[in-house]
Amino acid sequence: DRDFAVHDKKVREGNFEKKLDILEKKKMQHFERDNLRWQRMDEEEKKESEKMYKLRSMHMAGKKNMSSAAYNPLTLQYDQTLEGQKLAHQDELAKFRALQRSQNIDKKANSGYNVLTGETRQ
């Protein structure tokens, strides 16, 4: 072609087509990336809902309408289960430690004789 305008138009159209191709490729890349992102979010949401369902079902299984402590506050009795025995044992240990502490404080804080009667303490 000896006509410069025709040649220039072909070059500009070629450049325009390249730009359109680049924009189309970027558009497809963004679309695919966004689609993958939404799929991952859906999978995470599905996993989270399944996890919550499992936790709810396991946590309530066999524990409906049962107290959280192995002790009946109305009858003041421990339950006749392993948990009740553990709770009773812990309470007995707490009473034992309180008695030991009171005896230790009495021994260290008081003198060797009774102030009121004058008798020797044992």
Side-chain angles (χ1 to χ4, degrees):
D1 283 320
R2 294 184 176 224
D3 193 7
F4 179 75
V6 173
H7 176 69
D8 188 46
K9 184 177 180 185
K10 286 182 182 178
V11 170
R12 283 186 283 129
E13 284 177 352
N15 289 341
F16 184 71
E17 289 295 324
K18 286 180 186 178
K19 285 183 183 178
L20 285 179
D21 287 342
I22 290 171
L23 287 175
E24 187 65 30
K25 285 180 184 178
K26 282 188 178 182
K27 182 177 163 184
M28 289 303 295
Q29 287 174 349
H30 289 289
F31 176 77
E32 289 173 5
R33 185 183 68 202
D34 201 38
N35 197 14
L36 286 174
R37 181 174 152 255
W38 280 102
Q39 285 177 353
R40 274 189 265 123
M41 287 172 51
D42 288 341
E43 289 173 6
E44 287 176 13
E45 184 179 347
K46 185 178 178 182
K47 285 180 184 177
E48 186 68 27
S49 65
E50 288 176 1
K51 179 181 173 184
M52 291 303 293
Y53 177 76
K54 286 179 183 178
L55 285 175
R56 283 189 201 121
S57 64
M58 285 188 342
H59 221 51
M60 294 304 291
K63 294 189 177 185
K64 296 177 182 171
N65 202 18
M66 288 181 64
S67 67
S68 59
Y71 182 77
N72 188 340
L74 299 176
T75 62
L76 304 178
Q77 299 292 320
Y78 295 103
D79 290 345
Q80 299 299 319
T81 61
L82 183 62
E83 292 296 321
Q85 292 172 357
K86 286 181 184 178
L87 185 59
H89 181 67
Q90 288 175 349
D91 288 346
E92 289 296 322
L93 286 177
K95 290 177 188 176
F96 176 73
R97 286 191 307 269
L99 182 62
Q100 273 188 328
R101 182 175 183 273
S102 69
Q103 288 174 350
N104 193 20
I105 289 173
D106 182 53
K107 185 169 55 171
K108 292 187 186 239
N110 294 322
S111 63
Y113 67 95
N114 190 339
V115 178
L116 296 175
T117 62
E119 296 175 357
T120 325
R121 294 181 63 141
Q122 295 173 0

